[in-house]
Amino acid sequence: SAVISQKPSRDICQRGTSLTIQCQVDSQVTMMFWYRQQPGQSLTLIATANQGSEATYESGFVIDKFPISRPNLTFSTLTVSNMSPEDSSIYLCSVTGGGSQETQYFGPGTRLLVL
Amino acid sequence: DQQVKQNSPSLSVQEGRISILNCDYTNSMFDYFLWYKKYPAEGPTFLISISSIKDKNEDGRFTVFLNKSAKHLSLHIVPSQPGDSAVYFCAASPGTGANNLFFGTGTRLTVIP
Protein backbone atom coordinates (compact mmCIF):
# COMPACT_ATOMS: atom_id res chain seq x y z
CA SER A 1 0.00 0.00 0.00
CA ALA A 2 1.02 3.64 -0.43
CA VAL A 3 1.23 6.22 2.34
CA ILE A 4 0.07 9.65 1.25
CA SER A 5 0.31 12.94 3.08
CA GLN A 6 -1.35 16.23 2.24
CA LYS A 7 -0.66 19.79 3.31
CA PRO A 8 -2.43 21.77 4.60
CA SER A 9 -4.92 19.55 6.39
CA ARG A 10 -7.39 22.42 6.52
CA ASP A 11 -7.58 26.10 5.74
CA ILE A 12 -9.95 29.03 5.82
CA CYS A 13 -9.50 31.41 2.91
CA GLN A 14 -10.99 34.63 1.65
CA ARG A 15 -12.79 34.73 -1.66
CA GLY A 16 -10.64 35.77 -4.60
CA THR A 17 -7.47 34.24 -3.17
CA SER A 18 -5.72 31.01 -4.19
CA LEU A 19 -4.57 27.99 -2.20
CA THR A 20 -2.02 25.38 -3.20
CA ILE A 21 -2.44 21.88 -1.78
CA GLN A 22 0.53 19.53 -1.67
CA CYS A 23 0.42 15.76 -1.99
CA GLN A 24 3.42 13.58 -1.10
CA VAL A 25 3.60 9.80 -1.68
CA ASP A 26 6.08 7.46 0.01
CA SER A 27 6.83 5.59 -3.24
CA GLN A 28 7.13 6.37 -6.92
CA VAL A 29 3.83 6.21 -8.77
CA THR A 30 2.87 6.86 -12.36
CA MET A 31 -0.59 8.30 -11.93
CA MET A 32 -1.89 10.62 -9.25
CA PHE A 33 -5.49 11.77 -8.98
CA TRP A 34 -7.14 14.82 -7.48
CA TYR A 35 -10.71 14.64 -6.17
CA ARG A 36 -13.18 17.04 -4.67
CA GLN A 37 -15.85 16.07 -2.17
CA GLN A 38 -18.43 18.78 -1.67
CA PRO A 39 -20.60 18.60 1.45
CA GLY A 40 -22.95 15.62 1.30
CA GLN A 41 -21.71 14.63 -2.14
CA SER A 42 -19.67 11.81 -3.60
CA LEU A 43 -16.02 12.07 -4.56
CA THR A 44 -15.67 13.77 -7.94
CA LEU A 45 -12.50 13.41 -9.99
CA ILE A 46 -10.95 16.76 -10.91
CA ALA A 47 -7.96 15.58 -12.91
CA THR A 48 -5.33 12.91 -13.41
CA ALA A 49 -1.71 14.02 -13.08
CA ASN A 50 1.05 12.13 -14.86
CA GLN A 51 4.68 13.02 -14.35
CA GLY A 52 6.15 14.82 -17.31
CA SER A 53 2.91 15.68 -19.05
CA GLU A 54 -0.05 17.99 -18.72
CA ALA A 55 -2.78 16.93 -16.34
CA THR A 56 -5.97 15.51 -17.84
CA TYR A 57 -9.05 17.33 -16.57
CA GLU A 58 -12.55 15.93 -16.23
CA SER A 59 -15.59 17.61 -17.65
CA GLY A 60 -16.46 20.71 -15.66
CA PHE A 61 -12.92 21.35 -14.42
CA VAL A 62 -10.41 23.61 -16.17
CA ILE A 63 -6.71 24.23 -15.82
CA ASP A 64 -7.10 27.95 -15.15
CA LYS A 65 -9.18 27.23 -12.08
CA PHE A 66 -7.31 24.11 -10.86
CA PRO A 67 -3.72 24.22 -12.11
CA ILE A 68 -1.79 21.06 -11.26
CA SER A 69 1.93 20.41 -11.08
CA ARG A 70 3.62 17.01 -11.11
CA PRO A 71 7.36 17.63 -10.93
CA ASN A 72 8.34 14.05 -10.02
CA LEU A 73 6.95 10.59 -9.31
CA THR A 74 6.24 11.20 -5.61
CA PHE A 75 4.79 14.72 -5.49
CA SER A 76 1.97 16.81 -6.92
CA THR A 77 0.23 20.08 -6.16
CA LEU A 78 -3.30 21.30 -6.86
CA THR A 79 -4.05 25.01 -6.77
CA VAL A 80 -7.58 26.27 -6.25
CA SER A 81 -7.55 29.68 -7.91
CA ASN A 82 -9.70 32.75 -7.43
CA MET A 83 -11.73 30.97 -4.80
CA SER A 84 -15.41 31.45 -4.11
CA PRO A 85 -17.56 29.94 -1.33
CA GLU A 86 -18.65 27.23 -3.80
CA ASP A 87 -15.07 25.90 -3.68
CA SER A 88 -15.52 24.95 -0.03
CA SER A 89 -14.88 21.21 -0.13
CA ILE A 90 -12.55 18.45 0.89
CA TYR A 91 -9.78 17.98 -1.68
CA LEU A 92 -8.14 14.56 -1.84
CA CYS A 93 -5.24 13.13 -3.78
CA SER A 94 -4.88 9.46 -4.54
CA VAL A 95 -2.68 6.94 -6.33
CA THR A 96 -3.35 3.47 -7.71
CA GLY A 97 -1.73 0.30 -6.47
CA GLY A 98 -2.48 -2.97 -4.75
CA GLY A 99 -1.54 -5.70 -7.17
CA SER A 100 -4.32 -8.23 -7.73
CA GLN A 101 -6.87 -6.21 -5.82
CA GLU A 102 -6.05 -2.93 -7.44
CA THR A 103 -7.37 0.11 -5.69
CA GLN A 104 -6.75 3.79 -5.16
CA TYR A 105 -5.02 4.86 -1.98
CA PHE A 106 -6.12 8.23 -0.67
CA GLY A 107 -4.48 10.95 1.29
CA PRO A 108 -6.20 12.34 4.40
CA GLY A 109 -7.68 15.26 2.48
CA THR A 110 -7.54 19.03 2.74
CA ARG A 111 -10.65 20.64 4.19
CA LEU A 112 -11.13 24.06 2.61
CA LEU A 113 -13.57 26.72 3.73
CA VAL A 114 -13.90 29.84 1.60
CA LEU A 115 -15.53 32.86 3.20
CA ASP B 1 -25.80 12.09 -13.88
CA GLN B 2 -24.95 9.83 -10.95
CA GLN B 3 -23.84 6.49 -12.37
CA VAL B 4 -23.27 4.90 -8.97
CA LYS B 5 -26.00 5.29 -6.38
CA GLN B 6 -26.24 4.55 -2.71
CA ASN B 7 -29.84 5.24 -1.88
CA SER B 8 -29.55 4.85 1.88
CA PRO B 9 -27.72 7.82 3.38
CA SER B 10 -27.59 6.16 6.78
CA LEU B 11 -27.93 2.80 8.50
CA SER B 12 -27.97 1.82 12.18
CA VAL B 13 -27.20 -1.71 13.32
CA GLN B 14 -26.76 -3.38 16.70
CA GLU B 15 -23.31 -4.66 17.55
CA GLY B 16 -22.91 -8.31 16.56
CA ARG B 17 -25.62 -8.19 13.93
CA ILE B 18 -25.18 -8.07 10.17
CA SER B 19 -24.77 -4.75 8.32
CA ILE B 20 -25.87 -4.71 4.69
CA LEU B 21 -24.94 -1.73 2.56
CA ASN B 22 -26.35 -1.47 -0.93
CA CYS B 23 -25.17 0.10 -4.16
CA ASP B 24 -26.73 0.34 -7.62
CA TYR B 25 -25.13 1.36 -10.87
CA THR B 26 -26.42 2.31 -14.27
CA ASN B 27 -23.43 1.84 -16.59
CA SER B 28 -23.26 -1.71 -17.97
CA MET B 29 -19.61 -1.06 -18.91
CA PHE B 30 -18.53 -1.15 -15.27
CA ASP B 31 -16.30 -4.17 -14.74
CA TYR B 32 -14.70 -3.65 -11.35
CA PHE B 33 -16.25 -2.58 -8.08
CA LEU B 34 -14.78 -1.44 -4.79
CA TRP B 35 -15.90 -0.50 -1.31
CA TYR B 36 -14.19 2.13 0.79
CA LYS B 37 -14.60 3.15 4.40
CA LYS B 38 -14.10 6.74 5.52
CA TYR B 39 -13.66 8.04 9.05
CA PRO B 40 -14.01 11.77 9.77
CA ALA B 41 -10.91 13.82 8.90
CA GLU B 42 -9.37 10.87 7.06
CA GLY B 43 -9.24 9.82 3.44
CA PRO B 44 -11.20 6.80 2.23
CA THR B 45 -9.52 3.45 2.91
CA PHE B 46 -9.96 0.44 0.68
CA LEU B 47 -12.00 -2.45 2.07
CA ILE B 48 -12.71 -4.98 -0.62
CA SER B 49 -13.23 -5.27 -4.36
CA ILE B 50 -14.87 -7.58 -6.86
CA SER B 51 -14.53 -8.02 -10.59
CA SER B 52 -17.47 -8.66 -12.87
CA ILE B 53 -16.41 -12.27 -13.47
CA LYS B 54 -17.30 -13.09 -9.85
CA ASP B 55 -20.49 -12.78 -7.87
CA LYS B 56 -18.94 -12.92 -4.41
CA ASN B 57 -15.71 -11.98 -2.71
CA GLU B 58 -15.00 -12.49 0.96
CA ASP B 59 -12.35 -11.05 3.24
CA GLY B 60 -12.78 -11.77 6.92
CA ARG B 61 -15.91 -10.10 8.21
CA PHE B 62 -16.52 -8.37 4.87
CA THR B 63 -18.26 -9.93 1.89
CA VAL B 64 -19.22 -8.19 -1.33
CA PHE B 65 -21.95 -9.62 -3.55
CA LEU B 66 -22.41 -8.62 -7.18
CA ASN B 67 -25.60 -9.11 -9.18
CA LYS B 68 -24.71 -8.01 -12.69
CA SER B 69 -28.16 -8.53 -14.18
CA ALA B 70 -29.66 -6.23 -11.55
CA LYS B 71 -26.65 -3.85 -11.63
CA HIS B 72 -26.51 -4.14 -7.88
CA LEU B 73 -23.85 -4.86 -5.32
CA SER B 74 -23.91 -5.11 -1.58
CA LEU B 75 -21.42 -5.17 1.26
CA HIS B 76 -22.12 -7.44 4.21
CA ILE B 77 -20.33 -6.95 7.50
CA VAL B 78 -20.69 -9.82 9.96
CA PRO B 79 -20.53 -9.40 12.89
CA SER B 80 -20.75 -5.63 13.02
CA GLN B 81 -18.50 -3.87 15.52
CA PRO B 82 -18.62 -0.30 16.89
CA GLY B 83 -15.33 0.41 15.10
CA ASP B 84 -17.13 -0.20 11.81
CA SER B 85 -19.06 3.03 12.31
CA ALA B 86 -18.01 5.17 9.35
CA VAL B 87 -19.17 6.35 5.92
CA TYR B 88 -19.00 3.62 3.29
CA PHE B 89 -18.51 4.48 -0.38
CA CYS B 90 -19.19 2.20 -3.30
CA ALA B 91 -17.07 2.79 -6.43
CA ALA B 92 -17.09 1.35 -9.93
CA SER B 93 -14.63 1.28 -12.81
CA PRO B 94 -15.26 0.64 -16.51
CA GLY B 95 -11.95 -1.20 -16.77
CA THR B 96 -10.29 -4.01 -14.90
CA GLY B 97 -8.20 -1.63 -12.82
CA ALA B 98 -8.84 1.29 -10.51
CA ASN B 99 -7.64 4.18 -12.69
CA ASN B 100 -11.10 5.51 -13.46
CA LEU B 101 -13.43 5.33 -10.48
CA PHE B 102 -16.98 6.56 -10.14
CA PHE B 103 -18.16 6.94 -6.55
CA GLY B 104 -21.53 6.76 -4.86
CA THR B 105 -22.63 9.36 -2.32
CA GLY B 106 -21.91 7.14 0.66
CA THR B 107 -23.85 5.48 3.46
CA ARG B 108 -23.17 6.39 7.07
CA LEU B 109 -23.13 3.22 9.18
CA THR B 110 -23.61 3.46 12.92
CA VAL B 111 -23.02 0.32 14.95
CA ILE B 112 -24.71 0.61 18.32
CA PRO B 113 -22.92 -1.10 21.22
Side-chain angles (χ1 to χ4, degrees), chain A residues 85-106:
Chain A
E86 291 71 34
D87 294 319
S88 298
S89 294
I90 300 173
Y91 292 85
L92 300 127
C93 68
S94 71
V95 303
T96 50
S100 60
Q101 279 208 100
E102 187 169 290
T103 182
Q104 287 189 18
Y105 297 99
F106 285 86

Side-chain angles (χ1 to χ4, degrees), chain B residues 29-49:
Chain B
M29 300 299 291
F30 287 146
D31 259 344
Y32 186 58
F33 305 88
L34 307 90
W35 284 95
Y36 288 85
K37 177 170 70 175
K38 186 180 184 302
Y39 292 120
E42 296 183 12
T45 56
F46 171 69
L47 273 177
I48 192 168
S49 63

Side-chain angles (χ1 to χ4, degrees), chain A residues 8 10-14 17 19 83 111-115:
Chain A
R10 58 175 61 228
D11 208 340
I12 301 173
C13 301
Q14 297 297 318
T17 63
L19 176 72
M83 288 183 286
R111 187 177 295 270
L112 171 63
L113 176 63
V114 183
L115 302 177

